[in-house]
Amino acid sequence: MECEELSASQANALFDILTHHEARAEIEGLKYSHSVATFGTPISSESPVNVSSPMIQLLLKKCTLVLPGLRDVSSEFWSKSIFALATALDDSNLSDSYDKGSVGIRRTLSTASAAMVEYCARGILGGYARRPIRKGAHYDTSKPEDLISAWDDFVQQLLYGDLLEKLFRKAAETDKLSDHEPVVQALHKYVVAMFDPQSSFLHYVLIVSPRGQSMLPLLSRVHNLTPYFLVRQTLKIGNAASMISGMVQLLLAKMNMSTLTSWFGAQPSDSGMNLLQQYTVHRLFRSWLYKADSSARIISRTLGADVSELKKRAKAIELDKDRPDEDLLMKIKAYTAMPHDGQSHIRSQSGIETPYSSARTLLISSSEAESISIISAILSSFQDQPSPLSPHHHSLLLTYLSLHLSIRDRETLIHTLCHHSPDLVTATIRTLVSAYTPLIRTLHQAVDLSTGTSNLESFLSDLIAISKPSASSSSRVPSVMDYIHLLERHQSSSHSFIHQALKNSPQLYEWYHSYLLHVFKQYAQPPESQTGGAGTMTSELNTLFSSLSTPDRQVIIGELDAHASYLSSLSQKSFDQLCHTSSPSAVEVSDKKGQGPGIFLYKWQALMDSTRITPATASGPVRYGNSESVREATGVDVDGTKKGGAAGDRAHDDDGEGEAVKAPDISKTVDLLSGKFKDILRAKVGEMEIEK
């Protein structure tokens, strides 16, 4: 029987569901060494029919591996250096948010990565819909509908017209945004409010996200430890070769006894730490080489400071008069020291999969399946019938577990990134510097890099300053408008940098003009193509849908219609937020809104909200990332102070635009079609291998 085709809204909904699920599954899968081993080119030699991350591979091959500089690295860089570094991190057995009772920084960053991969992949797979190009339009940047029209006009002219050439020519002529065409100026305003690592995105990461204020001290610590003065002085060296050599020495020179003894003919060693790995050189050598004094701990110092605070809190629990028995504390510590297999034995129950396990069966904890907490599961593994815990003792043990998992994570990262033998980080950076040397030489001749470094330092200082809630008004948290004003103050620096690079270096002009032409070609639909709601993927999605039985199709149609309505609601909500940030009265209303515009941010929030978290009591329901108790725990910094939650709570509360949009149940669609969709992506990877 002939199958009815999906409508445009249904095809778009199906495309959104499958790309969203696949992106999350691939990003989550990268924490397992099996996924790295089967990643495929350029990291491994896995056959395209078995690659674990086909969507990420498509993005790498179409956009990333052709970057100027990166395209010149050898295949061994990927198959040896990157593979070894990724495998070492995977083998570290870093903790999971479920066990820790909160949404961690790694989960926050991984979900952000998944949301970005999802959006980029949809553009490459389906293309951007063609329509007649509209030129010469004028836009009122205070009207959100004009900003949205400017975005569409800009992309149409960029992909299917000659706007890219005009942009490059004008940027080489002037660094003033006002000299560009109206569509570029309006697009700039839209981008500042919506996309890029800017405004709404920065506001969400540092303010709305419950982990944001905990990440701020890390950013501040790295910023304060970076030796900007030494970097600027090194970048002022006129000879490009000497400048590059000086920067490599500054960043990667190691200070240890081997460094000294190798001067006298001894075999050099790979031990020791460099600027990225250390904070202070041993005082014995401080007067020996001033430049090495800036070889300060950045990774080690930043993470090591957290370890000290976490150990203080763990010690406080151990000294608490009302603490659980010493035997229970020892069992919790023993669990954190177990290898991955041992922890999996405690936490897993065979035959149960997570909704996002597409590459392989990912086991969830038995505590989740049985609605008992991870604490109960751990204690049961050591004793068949453990004594009942009081709510207070259970809470202390859960905190104790979280603290020791955090300590182990940081100590493991310090070991992997700073003390691993061979030194994978240093070797990786040296290879990249070597590949980028021609580009750096050209950039050094075209642009004042020292001034650019000062501008970057100033921007980061202002970013950190405005991200700290006002001490004079605890109820006033930074708004999206604060970040928009920040970018407007500093945008001239980036404009000047681009202008200098394109004006003074025809080579840079050609390299990046050719690169962007190639990338935008990946997002363009073929001329005269007949596409539906999923662009050039519509036909393949219809084929997937047709392969299902009639009862299954009926169920999926219902899920697709519900998801289409969900996407429409998100679009309307984002438009309403854009109205507030683009209106003349945005300053007044912005403080009342927890989150800025951008569907990307809502999809990212949905990924974090769906994170499974252990029950708060010995037995009870599994919690999720949007549970109140989880958000409270996530907002607690390493020193025990509550750093997040104010803006984040607003983002989840009724913000004046109605209740938060709830995602519908799409489990049947994911269950029936995600595997087949992955096979389509693998086939596309295979086609690229053949073309190459």
Side-chain angles (χ1 to χ4, degrees):
M1 182 178 65
E2 185 178 352
C3 175
E4 178 184 358
E5 289 190 348
L6 296 170
S7 66
S9 63
Q10 291 168 347
N12 178 61
L14 179 57
F15 195 29
D16 184 86
I17 291 170
L18 296 179
T19 51
H20 181 79
H21 167 269
E22 180 63 23
R24 173 171 180 169
E26 291 188 13
I27 292 295
E28 286 192 354
L30 290 177
K31 66 182 178 182
Y32 299 99
S33 56
H34 172 76
S35 284
V36 177
T38 58
F39 184 87
T41 55
I43 295 178
S44 69
S45 57
E46 188 70 24
S47 169
V49 297
N50 296 319
V51 294
S52 58
S53 306
M55 182 179 287
I56 297 177
Q57 254 206 26
L58 286 171
L59 290 176
L60 279 176
K61 292 181 176 181
K62 288 179 177 288
C63 299
T64 307
L65 298 181
V66 293
L67 264 169
L70 193 61
R71 64 193 177 197
D72 298 322
V73 299
S74 66
S75 59
E76 290 187 350
F77 168 76
W78 300 100
S79 61
K80 292 185 178 180
S81 298
I82 298 300
F83 177 80
L85 183 59
T87 302
L89 290 172
D90 289 340
D91 292 342
S92 299
N93 188 29
L94 300 175
S95 64
D96 189 84
S97 293
Y98 183 86
D99 291 353
K100 296 175 71 173
S102 62
V103 179
I105 292 177
R106 283 182 292 110
R107 171 68 66 171
T108 300
L109 297 178
S110 68
T111 50
S113 301
M116 290 179 180
V117 167
E118 167 192 352
Y119 269 76
C120 293
R122 271 206 296 275
I124 284 181
L125 291 170
Y128 195 87
R130 284 176 177 264
R131 69 165 181 78
I133 295 178
R134 186 174 63 142
K135 295 184 178 181
H138 292 274
Y139 310 91
D140 184 346
T141 56
S142 66
K143 295 181 178 180
E145 55 269 20
D146 277 20
L147 294 181
I148 294 175
S149 295
W151 164 259
D152 186 60
D153 291 342
F154 179 87
V155 176
Q156 291 292 334
Q157 295 181 44
L158 201 64
L159 298 183
Y160 307 114
D162 58 354
L163 184 57
L164 181 63
E165 181 60 41
K166 292 180 180 178
L167 267 175
F168 267 68
R169 282 203 306 266
K170 185 60 70 174
E173 293 172 4
T174 178
D175 61 358
K176 293 181 174 58
L177 178 64
S178 57
D179 291 339
H180 283 267
E181 296 185 16
V183 66
V184 177
Q185 297 180 45
L187 181 280
H188 190 280
K189 175 67 178 287
Y190 182 71
V191 167
V192 167
M194 294 284 285
F195 297 114
D196 252 24
Q198 302 182 14
S199 54
S200 288
F201 182 78
L202 287 173
H203 176 260
Y204 183 88
V205 171
L206 296 174
I207 304 301
V208 175
S209 167
R211 186 58 73 176
Q213 291 295 295
S214 297
M215 289 191 284
L216 189 61
L218 293 177
L219 175 62
S220 180
R221 209 172 296 149
V222 171
H223 178 58
N224 293 333
L225 292 174
T226 302
Y228 289 107
F229 174 77
L230 290 176
V231 171
R232 283 194 297 269
Q233 294 303 108
T234 306
L235 291 173
K236 288 180 180 179
I237 298 175
N239 183 274
S242 299
M243 183 275 292
I244 295 173
S245 176
M247 286 299 298
V248 170
Q249 288 289 328
L250 178 63
L251 290 169
L252 303 181
K254 297 189 175 186
M255 292 301 300
N256 52 35
M257 286 302 297
S258 173
T259 308
L260 181 61
T261 58
S262 65
W263 283 20
F264 299 97
Q267 183 68 26
S269 169
D270 200 30
S271 62
M273 292 188 287
N274 54 50
L275 166 66
L276 297 178
Q277 299 166 328
Q278 298 185 30
Y279 172 63
T280 54
V281 177
H282 196 284
R283 294 183 185 275
L284 175 64
F285 300 106
R286 191 166 187 174
S287 60
W288 174 45
L289 187 62
Y290 172 74
K291 180 169 61 178
D293 184 50
S294 66
S295 292
R297 291 179 189 171
I298 293 183
I299 296 175
S300 181
R301 175 76 171 185
T302 300
L303 297 178
D306 285 355
V307 171
S308 299
E309 294 293 341
L310 292 166
K311 286 184 175 179
K312 289 178 184 177
R313 293 176 59 196
K315 191 67 175 178
I317 293 178
E318 295 170 357
L319 298 177
D320 192 332
K321 294 182 179 180
D322 194 23
R323 71 180 188 278
D325 292 341
E326 183 71 21
D327 178 56
L328 299 181
L329 296 177
M330 294 301 295
K331 290 175 180 177
I332 297 300
K333 290 180 68 174
Y335 173 79
T336 64
M338 285 182 179
H340 179 265
D341 290 344
Q343 291 182 346
S344 295
H345 177 72
I346 292 176
R347 294 166 36 222
S348 65
Q349 177 178 336
S350 61
I352 298 181
E353 300 176 291
T354 66
Y356 294 96
S357 57
S358 64
R360 70 184 147 293
T361 299
L362 301 179
L363 301 177
I364 62 176
S365 67
S366 59
S367 61
E368 181 176 342
E370 300 171 11
S371 294
I372 63 172
S373 75
I374 188 64
I375 297 298
S376 299
I378 292 171
L379 298 181
S380 296
S381 70
F382 287 97
Q383 186 178 351
D384 291 339
Q385 293 182 342
S387 302
L389 292 171
S390 68
H392 176 65
H393 281 181
H394 183 275
S395 178
L396 283 178
L397 287 176
L398 188 57
T399 301
Y400 194 71
L401 172 62
S402 177
L403 291 173
H404 275 281
L405 287 172
S406 297
I407 291 170
R408 184 189 176 281
D409 285 348
R410 286 160 174 79
E411 291 179 339
T412 301
L413 286 173
I414 290 173
H415 172 77
T416 303
L417 300 178
C418 303
H419 300 295
H420 192 279
S421 183
D423 188 343
L424 300 173
V425 173
T426 300
T428 300
I429 294 174
R430 286 189 183 278
T431 302
L432 286 175
V433 170
S434 177
Y436 272 89
T437 292
L439 192 149
I440 296 172
R441 286 175 180 269
T442 306
L443 191 63
H444 178 259
Q445 295 172 356
V447 180
D448 182 357
L449 296 177
S450 178
T451 300
T453 301
S454 297
N455 292 335
L456 174 62
E457 180 184 12
S458 176
F459 171 74
L460 291 176
S461 296
D462 289 351
L463 172 65
I464 292 169
I466 71 166
S467 299
K468 296 177 180 178
S470 174
S472 61
S473 177
S474 58
S475 62
R476 204 288 187 182
V477 296
S479 68
V480 176
M481 288 305 302
D482 291 326
Y483 288 89
I484 290 178
H485 294 327
L486 169 70
L487 294 169
E488 288 175 343
R489 288 198 306 271
H490 288 274
Q491 67 184 14
S492 61
S493 299
S494 60
H495 295 167
S496 177
F497 184 92
I498 294 171
H499 168 63
Q500 291 181 49
L502 298 182
K503 176 185 177 182
N504 300 328
S505 175
Q507 200 169 22
L508 287 174
Y509 187 113
E510 176 58 30
W511 283 345
Y512 283 96
H513 181 263
S514 298
Y515 169 72
L516 291 175
L517 276 178
H518 169 80
V519 170
F520 293 145
K521 182 180 178 181
Q522 312 306 313
Y523 286 86
Q525 292 182 351
E528 307 300 329
S529 58
Q530 298 295 322
T531 59
T536 55
M537 285 291 295
T538 302
S539 176
E540 290 169 290
L541 294 182
N542 273 319
T543 301
L544 285 185
F545 181 72
S546 301
S547 67
L548 302 174
S549 65
T550 301
D552 287 339
R553 290 201 299 267
Q554 292 175 346
V555 173
I556 286 182
I557 282 294
E559 291 187 352
L560 296 183
D561 288 339
H563 193 74
S565 177
Y566 165 71
L567 293 177
S568 177
S569 298
L570 288 185
S571 180
Q572 182 60 48
K573 191 175 182 69
S574 178
F575 178 80
D576 293 340
Q577 294 290 3
L578 183 61
C579 289
H580 290 287
T581 59
S582 60
S583 66
S585 58
V587 175
E588 288 73 21
V589 302
S590 62
D591 285 344
K592 301 177 182 179
K593 302 294 172 184
Q595 187 168 318
I599 297 179
F600 163 82
L601 299 179
Y602 298 114
K603 301 294 287 290
W604 180 12
Q605 184 67 58
L607 285 172
M608 287 198 293
D609 288 349
S610 64
T611 302
R612 290 180 174 83
I613 304 294
T614 181
T617 55
S619 60
V622 172
R623 296 176 295 166
Y624 291 87
N626 58 354
S627 301
E628 182 178 354
S629 60
V630 173
R631 294 186 61 80
E632 290 179 357
T634 301
V636 175
D637 200 4
V638 292
D639 60 359
T641 59
K642 184 174 176 58
K643 293 290 183 67
D649 291 340
R650 292 184 188 182
H652 281 75
D653 294 339
D654 184 347
D655 59 8
E657 303 296 336
E659 296 182 357
V661 181
K662 303 296 183 182
D665 179 16
I666 53 172
S667 56
K668 190 72 171 179
T669 303
V670 171
D671 182 51
L672 292 176
L673 296 179
S674 61
K676 297 179 180 180
F677 182 70
K678 194 181 194 79
D679 290 338
I680 290 177
L681 298 180
R682 284 171 171 159
K684 292 183 179 296
V685 172
E687 292 171 3
M688 290 193 66
E689 291 291 330
I690 294 174
E691 292 174 1
K692 184 178 68 174

